[in-house]
Amino acid sequence: MLYALPCIVWALLLPSLSALRFDEHAAFTPAHLRELKAQTKLLFQHSWDSYMAFGFPADEVRPISCEPYGPDYVDQLNMRNDALANVLLTVIDNLDLLFVMEEWGELRKVLKYLHENQATLFEQDTIVQVFEALIRWLGGLLLAHLLLTDVPWPDRPEYAEVRQICEEYDGFLLILAYDLGIRLIPAYQTETNLPFPRVNLAKGLEAVPSKMNDETCTSGVTTPYVEFSLLSKLTGDSQFEQLTSLSFWKIWHSRSGLGLLSMTINPVKSEWIDSITGVGALVDSFYEYAVKGSIIFGDDSLWLIFTKAYMALLSHLAQSNGIHDPTLFGNVNTGSGELVSTWIDSLGAFWAGVQVLAGRLTDAILSHLIYMKMWDYFDAVPERWSFLSASSKYDPLEERIDNAINLEWYPLRPEFIESTYYLFRATKDPMYLQIGLRILSVFESRFMTNCGLAGYQNVKTGELQNRMETFVMGELLKYLYLLFDEADEVFLHQPFMSRKNWVFSTEAHPLWYTSQYGSKSAQHFRDTLHKLQKHDKASKVSPYKRSFIKTLWLKLASADRRMVDKLVEPPSDRNATEVNWERLGVKAFQPALSSFDQCEVRPRQLKTHEHSFMQSGYYTWKSLFQPEAKFQNTLVRPPHLQRHSKLSPNHYIELTPAFYHTYTAFAPKSKGDKLYLQCARAPTTKETDCVFGDPAKPETHEMYIVKLTEKSSKMSPNDVVMPWLSGRFKLEVLRLGELDSTNTLITKDYIRKARPDTWVSRKSEVLRIIRANGVNVGRYRTVWTSRKALLNTDMFKISKDGRIYVQGSYIENFRVY
Ligand code: DMJ
């Protein structure tokens, strides 16, 4: 490693890096992928070496000016102090990356430094955010501890050094993690059981001005649960788990009537501050940790939370035309479910990864696409992008760009490459490698600076930011490297790790837990702590810490595990009793909520992929270019990127010539073939939203999916049965001459067939249910409701054969039984 390497030398090396580059030729042979991994590793080495040469032991290195960067000691209220506290952040957040990159020499060096400085590392008079400290520092320490104590490193030459390091390791990282935990846990000293967002590491809660602690966010309240529970389980000190699970459940029970959680809350009054929700900033990792927590701890109640929350998101947030169309999850009012903004944020790109983990592959592909389009146009994901804007396509480019990009920075956030990695592991579609290839080449050509990697200060102008947050290496480069590890060479992908049930934390630290290891660890920890306290009372448990523990335990004596148990929902009884299935000729059915218990393994639009050689499923997806049509005013390429057209002559990832030619090589190309390579025209039909009955939480009124029917039954497999008609419906309005979401032209015949009772005029229309309470319906499925459910309202008219008219309009796929 070249710590003292002057910037000039790096500048000289840059051209040779790009010379190494494959010319965007999409072979993705084992040799090619190995080369891409090597190139990604060079980016890591450049960043890490720069940090060690110019940043260490500060928290970060500034990638343009090559200076160390840490907390602001003058202005304590500076938000940058949320994550920076002079605690060797780059090192702690990247310990596991050193394992991934097999940088054993570096690992040994930084472990030695941490060992020597452990007594004072967190004794910092700075105000930090519990959330950031949790995910970056505590997660980093816990994971490194697990890697050093709970991995059966094979007896192979490449692991000889790490086996040695493990043997020498005395468990000090867990002591450090505990020290940190004890400093952070005062945040939970509230009457409401919701934590304060910030603490002072050295002086506790009292040293934090109240205005810095009067607002916290849903992610801040729920996310600590996973890392803190792990800390409890590994140390045997249950306070961390008890307090954080209590807050998790408390906030879950504060969800709105629609089952939605707002973004920010006052922890003292336990009152929501806003009534907006989305899947991005401030609320993102609540969903993420409901799924991941359920995996790490095998907790079914967390999984149930996720399924309910997910149904609510599908009902109220999901915006798409047809059931196979790109979907974006907008921001809505938690009370009414109405859309309240026309932007989505960069953090929301993680969502597709969680959808993959939750087994919803088709949904994941549909929500990932819009972020790929952002890369197509901006070579980045702007912090906030507007899908709708006031501009028209005739307005000047600058004006369109101004209206399209609401927050203009891109600090090299990892979320898009993170979900790309998940999607590739789940589908093996080469399009995801192509995305990785483009990102790698943009990083090499645009974001690589003298001392690391610098993202955009302004996506619109191309101005760079003199900051490299720790997630750039710790998440982005890690996911990129693992994406190219198709051969499963990295230890995380190897069989000796597959029994661990590990899952990446929100900060990309792979975490896992087994009770067997937990009890062994807790016993060992107690013994070590006991010895330490005996020998070094003063430095290990300061008076403030001891007194806090005492008060907290008094509180816990009354607020014990039973308080959490009361809030935990039992897995609901999902059996149907009120539908006479036999009379309806239905032999098998499934409650909609329990459909989440099965993983989807072959996403629909990629179905053909399994039969085809050298073909990306994307080229069979008819809606691939729908976003261009739909968002033509806000997907616009800024001038500075147009000037760089030499670097990326064709900015569409999915149309990179080499890739397109390779991965459509065996696709049918003539018109008569079933999979003729052609995209559908964007639908011209309009959509409308309506609420029938009481728009309650998704679990309030169970709905069912028909699985198997008698021949005589009017129902068909996949039909939706709603014994109570209640909730939000998305309808497509089909008018004469329009093109619908299935690419069908609405002709007189179509309307006449649907409504034989009516004279077809230019104004005739037919409605179609696209989605009912988040469940996809569309043209080929019918929603059935009981006649009883429609009796008490004038809104509906039922024809003799069970068709339903809503205020005079006919819904083609809606029937009563
Ligand atoms: C990271 O610190 C984590 O991924 C977190 O969950 C969200 N934000 C950043 C990266 O964007």
Side-chain angles (χ1 to χ4, degrees):
M1 287 275 165
L2 309 162
Y3 291 157
L5 194 71
C7 320
I8 185 83
V9 178
W10 268 112
L12 291 173
L13 281 179
L14 294 183
S16 64
L17 273 179
S18 27
L20 269 179
R21 248 193 296 144
F22 276 75
D23 183 23
E24 297 219 300
H25 277 295
F28 300 128
T29 57
H32 184 196
L33 288 171
R34 209 162 289 133
E35 183 53 42
L36 295 175
K37 262 172 80 181
Q39 284 173 234
T40 311
K41 190 164 178 172
L42 281 178
L43 286 182
F44 155 74
Q45 283 171 331
H46 169 57
S47 309
W48 178 262
D49 289 350
S50 302
Y51 166 72
M52 291 306 271
F54 304 105
F56 182 87
D59 285 321
E60 294 174 1
V61 65
R62 307 196 83 174
I64 299 176
S65 58
C66 303
E67 297 159 293
Y69 195 58
D72 182 342
Y73 287 107
V74 181
D75 175 13
Q76 282 240 317
L77 308 188
N78 189 328
M79 292 292 215
R80 90 167 189 248
N81 290 11
D82 277 352
L84 304 181
N86 199 18
V87 292
L88 232 68
L89 180 54
T90 297
V91 169
I92 297 185
D93 206 10
N94 286 294
L95 285 170
D96 58 317
L97 185 60
L98 296 175
F99 285 80
V100 169
M101 298 288 178
E102 299 185 8
E103 291 284 358
W104 311 126
E106 294 304 294
L107 180 66
R108 196 184 278 281
K109 233 179 286 178
V110 292
L111 284 177
K112 185 168 177 282
Y113 187 90
L114 279 170
H115 197 274
E116 286 164 5
N117 292 280
Q118 57 179 304
T120 52
L121 186 68
F122 294 123
E123 191 60 27
Q124 304 289 345
D125 182 8
T126 50
I127 297 171
V128 301
Q129 204 186 70
V130 178
F131 170 82
E132 293 293 351
L134 236 291
I135 63 169
R136 300 195 198 202
W137 320 344
L138 193 76
L141 293 170
L142 287 177
L143 182 270
H145 176 75
L146 284 177
L147 288 174
L148 291 165
T149 54
D150 191 32
V151 171
W153 294 100
D155 190 2
R156 298 204 301 251
E158 67 269 32
Y159 298 131
E161 208 172 336
V162 68
R163 284 165 65 92
Q164 177 80 39
I165 297 174
C166 292
E167 262 170 46
E168 291 159 13
Y169 175 63
D170 66 0
F172 80 98
L173 292 175
L174 188 57
I175 304 280
L176 252 181
Y178 187 70
D179 177 35
L180 175 61
I182 292 292
R183 292 170 193 271
L184 298 177
I185 203 71
Y188 287 79
Q189 271 185 314
T190 57
E191 293 301 319
T192 59
N193 299 111
L194 300 175
F196 287 116
R198 293 181 177 85
V199 293
N200 180 306
L201 281 180
K203 296 181 177 161
L205 207 51
E206 297 71 33
V208 184
S210 55
K211 66 172 172 194
M212 290 183 85
N213 261 348
D214 58 8
E215 179 177 326
T216 188
C217 65
T218 297
S219 290
V221 173
T222 50
T223 307
Y225 172 65
V226 169
E227 275 88 350
F228 260 151
S229 294
L230 197 57
L231 181 64
S232 277
K233 289 177 195 300
L234 298 185
T235 59
D237 185 344
S238 60
Q239 60 174 318
F240 307 106
E241 182 175 1
Q242 284 189 32
L243 289 164
T244 50
S245 57
L246 198 54
S247 354
F248 193 103
W249 283 100
K250 270 233 142 157
I251 205 166
W252 170 242
H253 284 290
S254 325
R255 66 197 188 280
S256 74
L258 300 183
L260 298 169
L261 286 169
S262 295
M263 290 177 173
T264 49
I265 194 163
N266 180 314
V268 178
K269 299 183 186 155
S270 185
E271 280 169 8
W272 289 112
I273 294 169
D274 64 65
S275 47
I276 301 174
T277 198
V279 293
L282 307 176
V283 64
D284 46 2
S285 44
F286 156 69
Y287 305 107
E288 186 180 1
Y289 270 22
V291 176
K292 293 181 175 177
S294 76
I295 298 172
I296 299 175
F297 303 123
D299 185 339
D300 290 346
S301 56
L302 283 180
W303 176 247
L304 194 58
I305 285 189
F306 176 76
T307 58
K308 291 175 182 177
Y310 190 44
M311 282 285 268
L313 296 181
L314 289 173
S315 302
H316 306 291
L317 276 68
Q319 320 279 323
S320 68
N321 281 90
I323 55 175
H324 289 148
D325 289 349
T327 310
L328 54 85
F329 285 75
N331 296 307
V332 304
N333 180 290
T334 45
S336 65
E338 272 163 38
L339 199 65
V340 291
S341 79
T342 54
W343 51 260
I344 52 174
D345 66 17
S346 163
L347 287 157
F350 89 107
W351 178 234
V354 170
Q355 289 175 305
V356 172
L357 264 192
R360 315 292 298 181
L361 275 190
T362 301
D363 291 359
I365 292 165
L366 302 183
S367 54
H368 177 264
L369 185 75
I370 195 65
Y371 288 96
M372 176 166 106
K373 296 291 174 178
M374 283 190 225
W375 260 94
D376 277 348
Y377 285 86
F378 308 122
D379 279 2
V381 180
E383 191 71 0
R384 270 187 197 172
W385 168 76
S386 264
F387 48 91
L388 291 179
S389 91
S391 307
S392 88
K393 62 179 172 185
Y394 306 108
D395 287 330
L397 185 62
E398 271 73 11
E399 190 182 318
R400 280 191 287 150
I401 287 163
D402 262 349
N403 285 332
I405 298 176
N406 294 156
L407 293 180
E408 69 279 7
W409 54 90
Y410 170 58
L412 307 183
R413 288 197 188 277
E415 285 76 8
F416 175 64
I417 196 69
E418 170 183 352
S419 35
T420 302
Y421 162 73
Y422 280 103
L423 275 163
F424 179 65
R425 297 298 292 186
T427 65
K428 296 283 169 177
D429 192 296
M431 184 64 81
Y432 302 113
L433 296 175
Q434 184 61 25
I435 292 173
L437 179 56
R438 173 61 62 88
I439 290 182
L440 176 62
S441 82
V442 173
F443 265 65
E444 287 174 343
S445 57
R446 212 163 293 149
F447 299 138
M448 195 162 173
T449 53
N450 286 343
C451 284
L453 297 164
Y456 283 132
Q457 180 62 40
N458 192 340
V459 175
K460 299 177 197 173
T461 61
E463 182 198 345
L464 294 182
Q465 198 176 57
N466 193 12
R467 176 127 194 232
M468 179 171 67
E469 296 232 32
T470 54
F471 53 68
V472 179
M473 273 192 273
E475 292 194 70
L476 196 140
L477 292 187
K478 187 187 290 161
Y479 285 124
L480 193 60
Y481 189 73
L482 291 171
L483 170 70
F484 296 135
D485 186 43
E486 222 276 299
D488 292 342
E489 289 162 341
V490 173
F491 81 94
L492 283 169
H493 291 157
Q494 295 215 5
F496 68 90
M497 284 304 288
S498 57
R499 264 175 294 125
K500 292 276 176 222
N501 214 19
W502 64 269
V503 58
F504 278 119
S505 75
T506 188
E507 188 71 7
H509 301 301
L511 300 174
W512 66 88
Y513 175 72
T514 57
S515 51
Q516 211 184 2
Y517 174 76
S519 38
K520 215 170 71 188
S521 167
Q523 181 59 47
H524 183 259
F525 179 78
R526 263 195 299 271
D527 297 346
T528 321
L529 199 66
H530 190 65
K531 272 188 228 150
L532 278 174
Q533 281 170 338
K534 244 171 144 181
H535 292 111
D536 191 1
K537 273 190 185 159
S539 69
K540 294 299 164 204
V541 183
S542 68
Y544 116 74
K545 283 186 239 163
R546 239 182 290 140
S547 69
F548 172 71
I549 294 170
K550 225 169 160 188
T551 13
L552 196 63
W553 275 109
L554 279 180
K555 188 174 167 193
L556 281 173
S558 55
D560 65 8
R561 176 73 213 179
R562 274 167 298 175
M563 253 178 99
V564 178
D565 290 344
K566 267 194 219 150
L567 292 171
V568 174
E569 286 162 78
S572 66
D573 175 12
R574 294 173 184 173
N575 283 333
T577 45
E578 53 292 285
V579 183
N580 187 340
W581 295 104
E582 215 181 309
R583 190 177 66 81
L584 297 174
V586 173
K587 292 208 271 190
F589 61 90
Q590 185 184 36
L593 261 180
S594 68
S595 63
F596 288 94
D597 295 345
Q598 283 134 19
C599 278
E600 187 189 3
V601 283
R602 290 276 177 225
R604 254 165 292 162
Q605 64 272 47
L606 299 186
K607 208 168 175 184
T608 49
H609 180 51
E610 59 191 292
H611 308 297
S612 314
F613 176 64
M614 298 287 270
Q615 193 186 329
S616 164
Y618 275 74
Y619 297 125
T620 68
W621 184 10
K622 296 209 163 78
S623 312
L624 184 56
F625 289 96
Q626 204 191 76
E628 271 75 10
K630 213 169 163 183
F631 308 122
Q632 52 182 300
N633 299 330
T634 57
L635 284 175
V636 271
R637 201 150 165 87
H640 75 98
L641 291 176
Q642 296 187 356
R643 279 198 297 276
H644 279 91
S645 57
K646 263 194 201 143
L647 282 171
S648 41
N650 171 7
H651 58 86
Y652 285 96
I653 296 171
E654 64 277 31
L655 288 180
T656 306
F659 183 80
Y660 178 81
H661 291 307
T662 308
Y663 287 97
T664 60
F666 294 90
K669 288 191 179 66
S670 74
K671 233 180 181 172
D673 286 326
K674 219 169 148 206
L675 291 169
Y676 178 50
L677 274 175
Q678 199 179 37
C679 280
R681 273 200 289 149
T684 56
T685 46
K686 298 265 170 317
E687 278 185 13
T688 175
D689 237 358
C690 68
V691 171
F692 294 146
D694 149 43
K697 297 186 178 93
E699 66 272 22
T700 315
H701 303 302
E702 187 62 280
M703 43 199 267
Y704 304 93
I705 313 291
V706 174
K707 291 286 162 194
L708 200 67
T709 55
E710 307 275 5
K711 262 197 179 148
S712 56
S713 177
K714 287 184 182 163
M715 295 185 177
S716 310
N718 289 327
D719 279 358
V720 178
V721 177
M722 302 181 78
W724 305 267
L725 185 64
S726 128
R728 182 176 290 271
F729 287 70
K730 195 151 245 193
L731 302 172
E732 188 173 359
V733 185
L734 312 172
R735 292 208 178 102
L736 203 60
E738 285 180 343
L739 196 69
D740 77 357
S741 58
T742 65
N743 207 25
T744 302
L745 187 66
I746 307 301
T747 58
K748 271 190 179 175
D749 274 356
Y750 187 97
I751 296 192
R752 209 172 285 137
K753 222 168 147 193
R755 300 192 60 168
D757 60 325
T758 188
W759 168 255
V760 181
S761 73
R762 281 180 61 200
K763 285 191 180 156
S764 302
E765 66 176 36
V766 169
L767 302 177
R768 175 190 293 158
I769 302 176
I770 297 290
R771 199 177 282 134
N773 285 338
V775 173
N776 283 334
V777 183
R779 183 172 170 190
Y780 305 106
R781 295 170 89 177
T782 301
V783 175
W784 297 83
T785 191
S786 70
R787 193 172 286 268
K788 235 178 18 200
L790 303 186
L791 286 183
N792 297 332
T793 156
D794 304 338
M795 211 177 164
F796 302 100
K797 292 240 165 340
I798 308 170
S799 73
K800 274 188 197 145
D801 60 353
R803 293 161 186 254
I804 301 173
Y805 294 79
V806 186
Q807 292 179 337
S809 295
Y810 171 63
I811 305 185
E812 65 171 12
N813 55 350
F814 196 22
R815 294 275 187 284
V816 287
Y817 59 83

